[in-house]
Amino acid sequence: MSARATCDAASLYWQVGLRGFRRYATYRAATFAGVVTNTVFGFLRAYVFVALFSGHADVGGYDLSDTLTYTFVSQGIIMAIFLWGWWEIALGVRSGAVVTDFSRPIDYQFYWLAQDLGRSVYHLIFRGIPPFIVGALAFHLRFPQHPWTWLAFALSVELGVCVSFALRFMVNLSAFWLLDYRGVGTIMQAVWTFFSGFAIPIAFFPGALRTVSEMLPFAAMLATPVNVFLEKAQGLDLAAALAFQAGWAVVLLLVGRLMLAAATRKVVIQGG
Amino acid sequence: MAPIVSVENLEKRFAVSRKRQGARGLLGKLARETIDVRAVDGISFSIQPGEMVGYIGPNGAGKSTTIKMLTGILVPSSGLVRVAGLDPSRRRIELTRHIGMVFGQRTQLWWDLPLRDSFDLLRYIYRVPVERFRVNLDTFVELLDLGPVLDTPVRQLSLGQRMRGDLAASLLHDPEILYLDEPTIGLDVVVKARIREFLAELNRERGVTVLLTTHDISDIERLCSRVMIIDRGHLIYDGSLSAIKERFGDERMLVVDLEEPAPPIDVPGAIVEKVDGPRQWLRFHRSETTAAALIAAVAARVRLRDLTIEEPEIEDIVRRIYGGADPGRAR
């Protein structure tokens, strides 16, 4: 690609990202309701951990402050990561609207990825910060010691969004072959709610389950950014953690592209 | 001039699997057979730049399959397609710059955002030069009266406003060809008239070639000098709308007012469709008998006071063609 074309493409996807951000920004009442829900659930989870830690100083390398911080950070980024209930592409497949998207001079996957990144920035700021602040007022939470950690955390969240998007993209594309794509989606949601470390930190998992879970892409969605926030990984370990996320993002996006190519072939030959 | 769209012996077959007849239960699940459905079965036509063509046919006749092959989203099973000099299925992305598309049933606009946001994004998608884009936007906003709603989120627009927004959006990259799929569906008469006026002007001023599919024959009567009718994958008519009457409108209705009420008149070559007091409706085919012969035969049996001969409306003819019961079809 020439420099000019690269520049044009970059400005297109930047514009798409902006619109992804603004789409969600129009629904203020929904944002407020979401913040309340995320905060309330944060407290529910926090009190369970407070009970768990009475009599223990350390579980899986986490003390109570780590765990409470883990809880409120994960409550805060959960909407940015968007683990649940995104069916926009699948609905487009059902309605046939996907045909119009296919007939535009855009990269279909990048177009949706750009939109999703824009959305995630909105959700990270407006759904993420308020629950964390409320949590910090009620409990002793651990803030990053190094200023750079904030930047690494933001980067790690967005890499987590890329991994999450790549998986959601594939689940949505399954609508090209499966009548009941929601079934697949529901199973996947259950899988990544558990294996992302959202339900309980992966560090609490026993032995082999923990080892395996830490290598799966689901950990890259949520556990990694939270651990970056907790400064569990620093220096080379931090670079390795980010590379782990980026690696999964690239692999899963590539698999998504293969699926997209197969879906396009199906539409083009069989008419969808 | 070279045609902007040309189609030769175009075919699209779909392999559809279905349960074998008579097989039941588990056997039915296993004993599936694949049948070949010919959605488009060897059609040929060409369209000159600047033509406005109506493309009509009953649901499932093959209209949208044809359009999909013209846009390259569907690969033909056989036959030749050229649009703006390109083979659509091979050069789909390149072709999108030459085509605008509007679907009455769904929007291509960003639902949650102001109309302006969708328009501006199209500048980036199609890489329209800034100056050109501004001129186009101003022109279409003016012609379609979109100024007052530019900053309104699309979800708050009325159907008519949304439709006008979709039309403008489809044209901002200067396409030479516009495909319209039911552009006036669900709209009131005023908005319909406005959209038709706009399309006529667009065609006149910019020479945009328009291919229009619709179930509203009046769209075609107002806009298209030419109409193509597709039925069960075959192009059964390609010509002017008025000439449809010559071709399919063989049927006439003789309405007679008698001096006094009478039982249905029995004359060769005509069937009494309806009796209402002294008035009777007799249906006949011009190819079987002439009006003069029929009137003479009727006058010989009853005392006539008045008579008229009614031609069928184009809409009625088309409806009958769709029903598969048209009298004039040679197939």
Side-chain angles (χ1 to χ4, degrees):
Chain A
M1 240 188 343
S2 73
R4 177 65 204 280
T6 312
C7 191
D8 281 347
S11 53
L12 165 63
Y13 295 113
W14 170 254
Q15 290 291 331
V16 173
L18 280 182
R19 281 161 181 77
F21 183 98
R22 288 218 296 276
R23 262 187 85 185
Y24 286 86
T26 49
Y27 298 100
R28 301 220 177 102
T31 301
F32 179 74
V35 163
V36 172
T37 313
N38 290 154
T39 310
V40 168
F41 273 94
F43 274 80
L44 281 175
R45 292 174 58 201
Y47 283 120
V48 171
F49 286 123
V50 170
L52 176 74
F53 272 85
S54 64
H56 297 269
D58 180 293
V59 178
Y62 286 58
D63 63 16
L64 180 59
S65 274
D66 283 342
T67 309
L68 292 177
T69 308
Y70 190 104
T71 303
F72 280 97
V73 172
S74 60
Q75 280 303 130
I77 66 172
I78 194 67
M79 265 317 278
I81 305 294
F82 224 17
L83 293 189
W84 307 299
W86 182 70
W87 302 115
E88 270 185 84
I89 294 176
L91 291 172
V93 174
R94 282 279 158 272
S95 73
V98 78
V99 171
T100 354
D101 291 337
F102 277 10
S103 53
R104 292 193 161 196
I106 51 165
D107 183 292
Y108 189 74
Q109 192 188 40
F110 287 171
Y111 182 85
W112 281 103
L113 175 61
Q115 216 192 117
D116 203 55
L117 288 173
R119 175 205 59 74
S120 74
V121 171
Y122 174 80
H123 278 151
L124 183 60
I125 297 170
F126 293 95
R127 294 284 298 268
I129 295 173
F132 185 78
I133 290 176
V134 177
L137 292 174
F139 300 95
H140 176 258
L141 300 188
R142 185 150 289 161
F143 283 69
Q145 298 297 305
H146 305 283
W148 282 106
T149 301
W150 291 99
L151 199 66
F153 170 67
L155 178 62
S156 182
V157 170
E158 292 309 317
L159 285 171
V161 173
C162 290
V163 173
S164 150
F165 169 79
L167 290 168
R168 283 181 280 124
F169 185 74
M170 288 190 269
V171 169
N172 271 269
L173 285 187
S174 72
F176 276 102
W177 295 275
L178 304 173
L179 204 59
D180 190 15
Y181 59 89
R182 276 170 194 271
V184 180
T186 308
I187 291 169
M188 286 309 289
Q189 286 173 10
V191 166
W192 60 53
T193 298
F194 184 73
F195 285 102
S196 69
F198 178 71
I200 47 169
I202 292 176
F204 293 8
F205 292 1
L209 184 63
R210 175 176 171 175
T211 314
V212 172
S213 304
E214 278 173 344
M215 291 188 297
L216 295 177
F218 313 111
M221 296 162 82
L222 187 126
T224 309
V226 182
N227 284 329
V228 167
F229 188 92
L230 286 170
E231 297 174 319
K232 293 283 177 197
Q234 297 199 26
L236 272 182
D237 284 348
L238 175 61
L242 296 176
F244 164 70
Q245 289 185 290
W248 270 123
V250 169
V251 168
L252 294 173
L253 285 170
L254 283 174
V255 178
R257 290 186 93 77
L258 293 179
M259 249 181 107
L260 179 63
T264 309
R265 228 170 10 250
K266 182 169 150 57
V267 169
V268 161
I269 307 294
Q270 295 170 24
Chain B
M1 215 172 352
I4 192 159
V5 176
S6 67
V7 167
E8 274 170 50
N9 294 318
L10 185 62
E11 267 190 37
K12 183 67 197 178
R13 296 181 296 270
F14 294 111
V16 178
S17 108
R18 66 163 190 201
K19 211 185 282 185
R20 207 180 287 276
Q21 285 200 332
R24 282 185 194 176
L26 185 61
L27 195 64
K29 285 203 175 68
L30 296 171
R32 299 188 75 87
E33 57 183 348
T34 310
I35 52 163
D36 234 15
V37 176
R38 284 161 190 268
V40 169
D41 196 1
I43 64 175
S44 303
F45 62 83
S46 65
I47 297 174
Q48 294 298 320
E51 269 196 282
M52 288 185 101
V53 180
Y55 191 44
I56 62 174
N59 291 328
K63 288 193 300 284
S64 62
T65 305
T66 314
I67 301 280
K68 279 181 183 171
M69 287 192 280
L70 292 181
T71 57
I73 198 71
L74 206 55
V75 180
S77 304
S78 68
L80 194 80
V81 189
R82 281 288 175 281
V83 178
L86 302 170
D87 177 347
S89 60
R90 281 173 204 278
R91 315 270 291 273
R92 180 162 56 90
I93 299 300
E94 200 180 337
L95 185 63
T96 57
R97 301 183 183 282
H98 300 270
I99 311 178
M101 279 199 269
V102 175
F103 302 90
Q105 308 267 33
R106 60 172 181 260
T107 184
Q108 302 180 68
L109 305 168
W110 287 63
W111 191 244
D112 311 288
L113 296 180
L115 191 52
R116 189 190 293 281
D117 279 335
S118 296
F119 291 164
D120 286 345
L121 188 63
L122 290 163
R123 178 163 83 75
Y124 294 94
I125 291 179
Y126 291 101
R127 292 176 200 168
V128 187
V130 180
E131 266 316 300
R132 184 67 200 155
F133 183 81
R134 193 160 304 148
V135 170
N136 280 347
L137 186 61
D138 288 349
T139 309
F140 297 131
V141 164
E142 159 98 36
L143 284 175
L144 289 163
D145 192 21
L146 288 167
V149 294
L150 264 182
D151 294 303
T152 309
V154 172
R155 69 186 133 86
Q156 287 171 22
L157 299 181
S158 71
L159 183 60
Q161 290 166 336
R162 202 220 76 202
M163 198 55 230
R164 284 181 282 145
D166 262 307
L167 260 175
S170 71
L171 292 164
L172 288 169
H173 60 291
D174 284 316
E176 298 133 67
I177 309 162
L178 184 62
Y179 295 122
L180 299 166
D181 186 16
E182 303 251 20
T184 59
I185 194 163
L187 301 178
D188 67 50
V189 278
V190 179
V191 181
K192 266 188 196 181
R194 167 150 220 154
I195 284 180
R196 287 170 186 161
E197 237 167 70
F198 170 78
L199 291 172
E201 179 158 346
L202 182 77
N203 176 255
R204 205 167 50 235
E205 300 292 321
R206 298 194 167 213
V208 174
T209 308
V210 176
L211 186 60
L212 168 76
T213 69
T214 183
H215 287 294
D216 186 344
I217 301 299
S218 57
D219 280 345
I220 289 172
E221 283 184 300
R222 299 292 299 275
L223 289 172
C224 304
S225 50
R226 175 178 167 196
V227 60
M228 301 191 292
I229 305 179
I230 187 172
D231 186 25
R232 279 165 266 183
H234 294 266
L235 204 58
I236 57 170
Y237 182 78
D238 182 355
S240 75
L241 195 61
S242 52
I244 286 187
K245 285 190 184 180
E246 307 293 320
R247 176 84 174 274
F248 296 102
D250 176 47
E251 205 172 85
R252 292 287 182 276
M253 193 72 81
L254 174 67
V255 186
V256 291
D257 285 336
L258 311 179
E259 287 292 350
E260 55 207 33
I265 308 161
D266 181 26
V267 283
I271 300 157
V272 176
E273 190 86 357
K274 196 171 141 192
V275 179
D276 181 12
R279 179 172 288 186
Q280 299 196 9
W281 283 259
L282 289 84
R283 189 150 54 87
F284 68 100
H285 289 145
R286 274 193 312 178
S287 55
E288 287 164 19
T289 179
T290 64
L294 186 62
I295 292 165
V298 171
R301 286 168 174 77
V302 287
R303 286 176 58 202
L304 278 173
R305 204 173 62 188
D306 196 6
L307 62 84
T308 50
I309 295 171
E310 289 177 354
E311 280 197 350
E313 294 286 319
I314 287 175
E315 182 134 22
D316 292 332
I317 299 173
V318 171
R319 195 178 309 132
R320 221 170 308 129
I321 295 173
Y322 284 11
D326 67 293
R329 177 159 39 165
R331 190 162 72 84

